[in-house]
Every structure is written in structure tokens, then in C-alpha cells.
Amino acid sequence: MSKLLLKNISKIYTFDHGENRYSETDITIQDGVIRGIGANLLVEPGTEVIDCTGLVALPGFVNTHHHLYQTLFRGIEEVQEKPLFPWLIGLYEFWKHMTPETVNYGAMVGFSELLKTGCTLTSDHHYVFPNGQPGTLIDTQIQSAKEIGIRFHATRGSMSLGKDQGGLPPMSVVQSESVILEDSQRLIDRYHDRNDYAMTRIALAPCSPFSVTESLMLETSKLARANKVMLHTHLAETMDEERFCLEKYGRKPLELMEDLEWVGPDVWFAHGIFFDDDEIKRLNGSGIAHCPSSNMKLNSAFGYE
Ligand SMILES: [Zn+2]
């Protein structure tokens, strides 16, 4: 059993419901769980003690949307100053060469950056599974998370609508619906920990309306609800996406999600910057992961009038 005493912390900001704050206070931690907060706490011999005089303690930050592998694809000249669709089309040509080693290094860089800036729980949305590579890239990420010690909610991302079927990604990075659904169930069975303080959980995350089929969205939502795991996808990120949905499906992105039973408290969407007032009311408890730096980098208001 690991025991830790954080001694004489100058300020503790709990952000609990009572907004409680403490000064010159100790925290005891056992097996990763806070056991006590108070002044001059007594601890057993063998407890590791860290002197926190002059330091501030905050709860760990939670990151609700990330693409860890993309830490290795920053600054690619071909896609600078391009909006989302051409940015993606340019990068798929690099991403299609990804290996498990790439995924491991991308995860380690991303996790390190997150931990160093106060994040202790991160999700990740990994949806690129290049043809010819092992289908265990999520397993690789989970091993990387365990190695570095971050709490990790992996999502089983997916793309099933390739260029030949009217989608955006090249065929070399899309998978069949049956492979995706089988692997989703495998990952839930193997890794999803429902206990309190779980270090690993799984959610299911088809990538976006322009890279997955309607039937995959529907089957994924059924699978997630049968297993009581959460659902995640990109939505309402750009006007290009809205135009794509109107042209291909005859509906705006949120209407499409409503018809596919993809709205509710067990769903969280990434971006969500183009919902109108009525749509915001219809989110029905769905969460939104806002990503303003991404939106600014990609000029995602481009085409908005
Ligand atoms: Zn994203």
C-alpha cells in the first residue's frame, strides 16, 4: 500500500460544492485516494512525506477531447493555414503510415504535456486504424497510460465511410463496421473498469458525420447502451460539416444525431460551435468538449455568415 503525506500546503482549493479552501494544511493519500485533509495530520511510519510549504494544491484537470497521435504531426508544412477538411485530407496521407510505435510515442508525448500542465484524467479520440497495421492501437495507448500513470478514458474511435463511399478519408484508413463493432466489444470487455477510482475506462467514438456511416452510428449507440459505456463524436465543428450533412443526409448535424439516438447524458460531443439556440435546448444533457484553440488554428468559423 502506498501512503503519501503532502505536508503544510500553503493553499488548497478544493472546487467542491462548498467551494472549501484551506491554508497551511496537510493531505494524506493512500493508494491514490485522498484519505484526510487537515492540519498536522499524523501518519504511520513508512509514509512518504513531501514538504509543500509555499505550494498550492488543486484537483487534477480533466481533458475531455484529445488526439494523442497528432502530437507527432504538428507543423506539417502542407497543411498549415488550412480549414478542417483540407487539413484532414492533407494529414490522412501522413496518418495512413502510423504504426503501434507511432501511437505509443504520440501517447507518451501527449500524456507528458498533459501531466506537466495539471491534467490527471484525459480522454483520447483515436480513430485512425491504417490497413495492414495491428488492430490493437487502443491497447497500445492503454499500455502507455499505465506506464506513465495517468488516469485514461480511451475511446474506440472509428471511420467506416471512405472516399469511395462519399466520405472524406482515403480507403486505406477506414474499417468495416463488423471489425469496428467487434473490436469495440473486445475493448470494453477487456479494459472498462466500472469501479470507483478506475484508471481505465472505454467509450465508443465514431469519428464524425463525414467519416462514418449512419448504420455504424446506430449500431455503436446500441452497443454502448447495452454495455453502459459513453458515446463520443465530433459534431457541429465547421460549416463544411453542416453542408455535408444537409447534402448527404438532408439534415443538420444535430438532427442527424437525434434520428440516430445519439443525444442524451451518456453522449458528449467535441466542438459544438454551430448549434443554434433551439439546438442547444435540444442537447438534452449531452456534454460538449469545447476546443477553442483548435477552432482558431483551423479558422473554423470560415464560411459562417
Ligand atoms: Zn477532435
Side-chain angles (χ1 to χ4, degrees):
M1 268 190 262
S2 67
K3 294 176 184 174
L4 179 65
L5 170 65
L6 303 180
K7 184 82 186 149
N8 196 35
I9 304 164
S10 290
K11 294 281 179 196
I12 301 174
Y13 296 89
T14 64
F15 296 97
D16 63 7
H17 291 304
E19 291 287 329
N20 286 303
R21 299 175 184 185
Y22 303 90
S23 300
E24 279 81 44
T25 301
D26 302 345
I27 296 178
T28 53
I29 297 166
Q30 186 172 324
D31 295 328
V33 179
I34 292 175
R35 301 291 184 187
I37 299 180
N40 301 313
L41 294 178
L42 296 174
V43 291
E44 295 170 20
T47 300
E48 182 186 355
V49 180
I50 299 176
D51 179 10
C52 295
T53 305
L55 299 179
V56 171
L58 310 172
F61 297 143
V62 175
N63 177 26
T64 52
H65 187 71
H66 212 90
H67 303 292
L68 291 163
Y69 71 90
Q70 292 180 11
T71 57
L72 303 184
F73 297 92
R74 291 167 175 160
I76 303 275
E77 193 180 354
E78 289 87 333
V79 297
Q80 295 308 303
E81 298 184 24
K82 289 194 171 169
L84 182 68
F85 277 18
W87 181 86
L88 282 168
I89 290 166
L91 282 171
Y92 290 138
E93 296 305 313
F94 293 87
W95 296 344
K96 70 185 183 186
H97 300 294
M98 251 196 298
T99 64
E101 192 181 23
T102 320
V103 170
N104 174 45
Y105 282 119
M108 283 306 197
V109 171
F111 288 146
S112 306
E113 290 173 343
L114 288 160
L115 285 165
K116 284 186 80 173
T117 49
C119 173
T120 54
L121 163 58
T122 188
S123 60
D124 186 65
H125 192 176
H126 186 96
Y127 54 83
V128 181
F129 292 81
N131 296 351
Q133 290 296 328
T136 49
L137 301 180
I138 304 294
D139 304 63
T140 301
Q141 289 189 308
I142 291 170
Q143 290 313 314
S144 310
K146 285 184 177 166
E147 197 180 318
I148 207 165
I150 196 167
R151 179 168 278 125
F152 185 40
H153 286 201
T155 73
R156 205 304 179 181
S158 52
M159 296 197 289
S160 61
L161 187 72
K163 211 169 168 183
D164 296 357
Q165 303 137 309
L168 203 67
M171 298 309 288
S172 55
V173 290
V174 301
Q175 295 179 296
S176 72
E177 292 182 21
S178 60
V179 165
I180 292 164
L181 293 167
E182 273 173 36
D183 194 48
S184 299
Q185 185 66 59
R186 178 187 71 81
L187 289 164
I188 293 167
D189 292 343
R190 177 145 187 211
Y191 295 111
H192 187 66
D193 182 351
R194 299 174 195 279
N195 294 312
D196 288 349
Y197 312 113
M199 292 300 286
T200 311
R201 285 196 179 147
I202 301 289
L204 302 184
C207 185
S208 63
F210 49 84
S211 59
V212 298
T213 49
E214 282 180 281
S215 59
L216 180 67
M217 293 295 285
L218 203 51
E219 292 305 316
T220 300
S221 70
K222 284 182 193 163
L223 189 66
R225 283 173 182 139
N227 286 279
K228 294 190 169 51
V229 300
M230 291 190 75
L231 288 161
H232 182 51
T233 193
H234 294 95
L235 203 73
E237 180 179 357
T238 63
M239 289 310 288
D240 280 343
E241 174 200 320
E242 183 166 310
R243 276 189 287 274
F244 181 96
C245 287
L246 288 168
E247 279 167 27
K248 186 165 176 70
Y249 303 113
R251 284 160 286 178
K252 286 181 68 178
L254 186 65
E255 285 179 279
L256 180 64
M257 293 300 114
E258 287 172 325
D259 290 347
L260 296 171
E261 299 171 30
W262 258 80
V263 178
D266 58 350
V267 178
W268 86 104
F269 298 119
H271 299 288
I273 59 173
F274 285 108
F275 294 131
D276 62 27
D277 290 349
D278 179 57
E279 287 172 323
I280 289 170
K281 288 180 195 146
R282 285 167 24 218
L283 286 171
N284 199 23
S286 312
I288 306 292
H290 295 292
C291 314
S293 55
S294 162
N295 303 144
M296 287 188 280
K297 163 73 181 162
L298 296 168
N299 189 12
S300 292
F302 178 79
Y304 181 68
E305 284 140 28

